[in-house]
Amino acid sequence: MASELPTKIQLKQLFEKKGKDALVWYIWRNALRVLPVLGRVPLAEIWPENTLKHSIAVLRIPFVITNTSVFYTDTDTDTDTAADVAADANAAANAAAAANAYVYAAADAATAYAYTAAYATAAATAATAATAATATTATADATADAAQKDYIFLDNSNLNYFSDYGFSRPLFNNKDNIALQYLNKDFADLYKNLNNLGLDFLAKDLQRLWRADSNPIQAHWKNYSKQLSKENLKSAASYREAILGETADINAVRVLLLGPGGAGKTTLAQRLKNQIPSKTMIYNPATVGIDYLEHQPLLLTGDNSAFSELEIPINLQLYLWDFGGQTLFYGLHKSFLHENCVYILVVDSRHEQAPDEWLQQIQYLIDKKTSPPILIVNNEYENCYQQQNEQRLRREFPLANLQFFNFPCNQEDSQGLQQFKQKLLKTADQSRYAVGKSLFNAIQQVENIFKRKVAIDLLELEEELKDYIHYDINTIIKQLEGLGRI
């Protein structure tokens, strides 16, 4: 019979008594106890689509958590870690309750071990199914018991800093020999699965944690916490370089202005360029194709900047792309809607325009499972204040990261415009990615090429890039396409 795990109220009290480090340590250890169960089934059967991406997302969790003061002082203020989740008592208790969920799931064969049961049934052997059931019971009980002992240890200890024994305290009681046998086999199978995916370096890093090696922290573990380009997650080779090698930030972020013709996109673009729209013209001429400001970034600092009074993120560059809103130009979108972008949808309040069509297009062309940042500007013309149904849009587009603004684009420095510009800077800053050195070098080389040429043949491009990369050229080309660089 498994031990009863601490309640959310008890975890909140533990946070108030011991601080966030205690709960972060609790979360980390529970994650390590449960992750080996993934070895019971080939990862490609758990996640038939995007196997690499999902495997990385789940198995990097313990490394993200190690980038906290629980294990050492982290001076990298730009890195989001598990400690950020535990900002106050309620959030900390929620995070630790999620760790409890790991353990409860392990105690329930119908949840965490559902894959194991399905796999055993598919094998059509009663012996295999019986073994899986025995393993489930033994490991679930041992996991819950160990989690409860952690809670008691934390509650009774007078220490608040765990760097001295964070890795040395065993995950399980040595008396749980049967459970450890099953878990060691699970881990060995997980190790093989990761090797088959080309993630042998991740398997070795997990082994250091699982075996509790002395002083196991490695310098490259901080890279697991970085917001890497999604293109780095599509190839084991590129992910390996991003984790084990040198990474670099992409500071250039494209701002794509989308919406129906006549909604006010060009007027808003003029505001962002610190240009005053003509008072003699009611409307700007329709944009033909795409106005990309001759590939020049917006001026973010100085007296002539529209952002001069705002806090500017370091090294950020914004490239504004104003798309024609006529139906004729919709076919262009599929070549330009990628990651590393901020999307601005402008709609006209007078005509009660809704952004549904554009939201559908963005999610379809990027990735149905991606949450792109989208700023929706309800352009208030002629004192018409018809607003968007925010609740409906968030319900119908749950994956999109929607932000709503209401202001007239043709009025100078309205409060709504200032708030919009500040949010744009913050969103663009959060949209920056870290990429591996090869991809970063390729991006820089492409920029140099297009200073000399307006177009280049694919074979010629490959020849130009081959001296700057450390893995497959075809992967680099796909990554450049995914980032919208070519």
Side-chain angles (χ1 to χ4, degrees):
M1 181 69 180
S3 299
E4 289 292 326
L5 294 173
T7 65
K8 183 177 178 180
I9 293 176
Q10 289 176 310
L11 292 169
K12 182 177 179 180
Q13 292 171 341
L14 180 64
F15 171 85
E16 294 169 345
K17 183 178 178 181
K18 301 296 183 180
K20 73 175 187 299
D21 281 2
L23 291 189
V24 171
W25 191 69
Y26 179 82
I27 294 167
W28 175 74
R29 287 169 61 81
N30 283 335
L32 281 178
R33 291 186 183 107
V34 175
L35 285 178
V37 73
L38 293 175
R40 297 191 175 188
V41 184
L43 295 173
E45 293 190 19
I46 299 176
W47 299 294
E49 297 182 5
N50 299 315
T51 305
L52 189 74
K53 174 182 175 182
H54 291 303
S55 299
I56 290 169
V58 172
L59 294 170
R60 66 192 278 267
I61 290 172
F63 303 107
V64 173
I65 298 175
T66 59
N67 290 331
T68 71
S69 59
V70 174
F71 302 100
Y72 58 82
T73 301
D74 184 7
T75 58
D76 183 4
T77 57
D78 293 330
T79 301
D80 291 328
T81 67
D84 298 324
V85 178
D88 55 39
N90 286 324
N94 287 335
N100 268 352
Y102 268 116
V103 183
Y104 279 125
D108 184 355
T111 52
Y113 293 152
Y115 296 118
T116 301
Y119 196 61
T121 302
T125 61
T128 302
T131 300
T134 301
T136 296
T137 301
T139 56
D141 288 351
T143 300
D145 289 343
Q148 175 65 7
K149 286 184 173 65
D150 274 353
Y151 170 76
I152 295 172
F153 167 75
L154 290 168
D155 192 44
N156 294 330
S157 172
N158 292 323
L159 298 173
N160 290 319
Y161 191 70
F162 303 97
S163 61
D164 293 336
Y165 55 85
F167 293 100
S168 61
R169 185 175 174 84
L171 288 174
F172 294 93
N173 191 320
N174 288 332
K175 72 176 184 178
D176 298 317
N177 292 326
I178 296 178
L180 284 173
Q181 288 177 17
Y182 288 123
L183 286 168
N184 281 326
K185 183 180 184 306
D186 290 341
F187 189 89
D189 291 336
L190 177 61
Y191 195 100
K192 293 177 184 177
N193 280 337
L194 290 172
N195 282 341
N196 291 337
L197 287 175
L199 297 176
D200 53 298
F201 61 96
L202 177 56
K204 291 175 182 177
D205 285 341
L206 281 171
Q207 187 176 54
R208 291 182 70 89
L209 289 179
W210 182 250
R211 306 299 184 200
D213 292 351
S214 59
N215 192 26
I217 285 183
Q218 303 292 294
H220 68 267
W221 284 7
K222 285 193 175 185
N223 290 335
Y224 285 112
S225 298
K226 291 185 177 180
Q227 180 174 321
L228 297 175
S229 163
K230 287 183 280 293
E231 292 301 319
N232 275 114
L233 304 180
K234 292 182 179 179
S235 158
S238 59
Y239 188 65
R240 171 193 295 273
E241 185 187 57
I243 296 300
L244 300 182
E246 185 178 356
T247 61
D249 292 332
I250 300 179
N251 292 318
V253 178
R254 285 176 301 151
V255 178
L256 307 188
L257 275 166
L258 300 168
K265 298 184 297 299
T266 299
T267 301
L268 180 57
Q270 289 171 332
R271 290 294 182 199
L272 298 178
K273 292 184 288 182
N274 206 29
Q275 298 174 356
I276 300 176
S278 173
K279 294 182 179 180
T280 62
M281 298 180 62
I282 299 177
Y283 301 104
N284 282 300
T287 301
V288 177
I290 305 171
D291 180 4
Y292 49 85
L293 308 186
E294 298 181 350
H295 294 297
Q296 296 301 309
L298 288 173
L299 187 64
L300 298 183
T301 59
D303 295 338
N304 295 323
S305 170
F307 301 85
S308 58
E309 298 180 0
L310 302 175
E311 183 179 350
I312 310 299
I314 298 174
N315 296 328
L316 179 65
Q317 294 176 309
L318 295 185
Y319 286 82
L320 188 64
W321 292 56
D322 182 7
F323 283 72
Q326 290 69 34
T327 307
L328 174 66
F329 302 121
Y330 289 5
L332 289 172
H333 295 171
K334 64 181 179 181
S335 298
F336 297 96
L337 304 192
H338 299 287
E339 64 171 315
N340 198 39
C341 295
V342 175
Y343 297 88
I344 301 175
L345 292 184
V346 183
V347 291
D348 183 350
S349 63
R350 295 173 303 174
H351 303 134
E352 300 184 13
Q353 293 172 338
D356 299 54
E357 176 184 355
W358 302 90
L359 293 173
Q360 290 170 354
Q361 186 177 176
I362 290 171
Q363 287 203 320
Y364 176 77
L365 290 177
I366 300 176
D367 183 346
K368 293 180 180 179
K369 300 177 182 178
T370 299
S371 301
I374 303 173
L375 311 183
I376 298 178
V377 174
N378 198 51
N379 187 9
E380 296 178 339
Y381 270 123
E382 301 171 353
N383 298 320
C384 183
Y385 303 111
Q386 180 69 38
Q387 297 188 4
Q388 296 295 317
N389 187 335
E390 298 181 16
Q391 186 176 10
R392 178 188 68 81
L393 290 171
R394 287 198 170 100
R395 182 177 65 251
E396 295 184 10
F397 299 94
L399 293 178
N401 180 11
L402 302 180
Q403 301 289 329
F404 295 86
F405 302 87
N406 301 279
F407 60 87
C409 294
N410 61 353
Q411 281 189 12
E412 296 183 28
D413 296 328
S414 66
Q415 182 178 359
L417 176 60
Q418 287 297 99
Q419 293 173 346
F420 166 77
K421 288 190 290 188
Q422 186 65 73
K423 187 64 177 182
L424 172 60
L425 291 173
K426 182 177 181 180
T427 303
D429 188 37
Q430 294 171 342
S431 297
R432 289 195 274 190
Y433 294 96
V435 298
K437 195 64 176 177
S438 288
L439 181 53
F440 184 74
N441 288 340
I443 290 171
Q444 289 188 311
Q445 186 62 7
V446 165
E447 291 174 354
N448 292 333
I449 290 170
F450 288 113
K451 289 177 181 177
R452 311 189 310 263
K453 304 178 179 182
V454 296
I456 187 172
D457 178 83
L458 179 59
L459 294 177
E460 186 182 353
L461 175 64
E462 292 177 356
E463 186 66 25
E464 291 258 16
L465 294 179
K466 69 178 184 179
D467 294 331
Y468 297 90
I469 65 173
H470 303 113
Y471 54 90
D472 181 43
I473 184 67
N474 292 325
T475 298
I476 285 286
I477 294 298
K478 290 178 181 178
Q479 291 174 335
L480 290 172
E481 288 177 338
L483 288 170
R485 296 291 171 161
I486 58 174

